[in-house]
Amino acid sequence: MKVITHSGTFHADDVFAFSVLREALGAFDFARTRDTALIEAADLVFDVGGIYDVARGRYDHHMRDLPRRPDGTPYSSVGLIWRDFGRNTLPKLIPGIDEDLLDAVWQDIDLGFILAIDQADNGVASVSQGHLSLLIEAFNPTWVSDQSYDDAFLEAADFARGILVRACRQAHAEAEAQSIVLSAARKARDPRVIVLNNKLPWEKAVFEGGLRDLLFIIYPNEDSTSWYCRTIPPEPNSFGQRLPLPEAWRGLQEEEFSRVAGITDGVFCHPSGFICGARSQESAVRLAEKAIAAGQ
């Protein structure tokens, strides 16, 4: 299979598009050129050629009638390549990924990672210093460098792959966490309290999974020596609480907190009333139950 992109200066979209294709397709002949004859003879062309035609393997986006996302954002080459090849890439980047999580991880990467490159490449969003797109462009040779653009492109692609792997694995962990939280919610005795056996990100599952009745989530610290009873905020990134912990508990620790809360192994209650803790799961659940009773 012959794959081609343009020669000369490169950007984040063509570098990441190549990295995705290299994982999705395996070995292929690759060239960077603007030679019309070579472009026409290639099996797959991206970011060059002036044609967008999926059936012919043509993925340019520099024409007047350029391809756009459903929301109207113009695609860059990596947006198009990720759309059509990203799902095939994920099992290579995340060995053993559950097929049930493929779409969730693909979408997370598309909207949380690839979209930003599309926007930057098309001038839809401003690019500040330190933006991923500028980091990739920094791999282009300087005017005093002896390195060829093709060698620099491959170096940038190896760097991009590392970033893509980390992003995919983080998205996968997030998707797994969401699945665990929603499963725990289905099994919960009381829809107002969820108990997790590990500390993991739960916010996305709560708000995207429609857990509107949830008031408290119980989970251990990193070494399971304590258990937290955490209130649920009314919306993402909020410091408020759907139901705050009792005023009488706030700011207390150890024996005093245990005595006032009515448990034997209390650890603390935060002064703002959004989290408290005990040394056992049973006591942490009991704290949630007491808080609900006090709030009724």
Side-chain angles (χ1 to χ4, degrees):
M1 186 175 190
K2 187 72 173 181
V3 177
I4 280 180
T5 191
H6 63 81
S7 55
T9 302
F10 50 81
H11 303 93
D13 70 318
D14 44 309
V15 170
F16 273 100
F18 172 75
S19 295
V20 171
L21 289 172
R22 190 163 53 173
E23 300 299 325
L25 302 178
F28 53 75
D29 291 331
F30 177 65
R32 302 182 71 241
T33 183
R34 294 186 183 275
D35 185 296
T36 302
L38 294 176
I39 291 173
E40 289 178 353
D43 298 297
L44 193 154
V45 179
F46 64 93
D47 211 41
V48 72
I51 298 172
Y52 169 62
D53 186 342
V54 174
R56 294 173 56 194
R58 296 308 188 254
Y59 288 91
D60 198 9
H61 66 104
H62 295 101
M63 61 288 294
R64 182 184 295 272
D65 187 21
L66 77 174
R68 295 178 181 271
R69 289 172 172 270
D71 68 356
T73 301
Y75 277 110
S76 71
S77 62
V78 70
L80 294 170
I81 293 298
W82 181 255
R83 185 196 65 192
D84 291 355
F85 296 90
R87 289 176 180 82
N88 292 336
T89 299
L90 290 174
K92 307 286 184 59
L93 300 178
I94 313 169
I97 184 175
D98 191 324
E99 285 193 12
D100 293 341
L101 298 180
L102 277 174
D103 280 343
V105 175
W106 176 88
Q107 185 175 43
D108 196 344
I109 294 298
D110 186 55
L111 297 180
F113 183 83
I114 303 296
L115 174 60
I117 301 175
D118 285 352
Q119 292 172 332
D121 193 74
N122 287 287
V124 173
S126 59
V127 178
S128 59
Q129 198 68 28
H131 191 283
L132 176 61
S133 293
L134 296 184
L135 294 178
I136 296 298
E137 289 180 18
F139 279 84
N140 280 285
T142 66
W143 70 275
V144 294
S145 174
D146 294 329
Q147 186 181 33
S148 71
Y149 276 93
D150 287 354
D151 287 345
F153 179 91
L154 295 176
E155 184 180 351
D158 289 339
F159 176 76
R161 182 188 186 279
I163 296 173
L164 186 61
V165 167
R166 295 304 305 173
C168 287
R169 290 178 181 175
Q170 288 176 350
H172 181 233
E174 185 79 27
E176 284 188 313
Q178 186 168 3
S179 178
I180 290 170
V181 173
L182 294 177
S183 176
R186 289 191 294 269
K187 298 174 183 177
R189 294 185 295 106
D190 184 339
R192 297 172 296 182
V193 182
I194 287 178
V195 179
L196 303 176
N197 293 321
N198 301 97
K199 183 179 181 181
L200 48 80
W202 48 264
E203 294 88 346
K204 187 174 182 179
V206 170
F207 296 107
E208 294 187 8
L211 303 182
R212 297 179 182 85
D213 296 326
L214 184 63
L215 297 177
F216 295 98
I217 192 158
I218 312 298
Y219 56 89
N221 62 3
E222 287 79 2
D223 56 7
S224 297
T225 56
S226 296
W227 287 76
Y228 298 115
C229 171
R230 173 72 158 82
T231 63
I232 303 299
E235 62 271 328
N237 303 315
S238 168
F239 289 101
Q241 302 106 32
R242 289 179 178 176
L243 178 65
L245 295 168
E247 181 72 35
W249 298 0
R250 300 182 193 180
L252 302 182
Q253 297 186 26
E254 301 293 341
E255 293 182 5
E256 187 177 10
F257 171 54
S258 298
R259 177 180 59 79
V260 174
I263 59 175
T264 60
D265 57 351
V267 178
F268 77 102
C269 181
H270 195 277
S272 65
F274 81 96
I275 192 170
C276 61
R279 289 189 171 82
S280 66
Q281 181 190 102
E282 181 182 6
S283 291
V285 172
R286 187 68 181 135
L287 289 170
E289 293 170 345
K290 286 177 173 288
I292 291 172
Q296 292 178 338

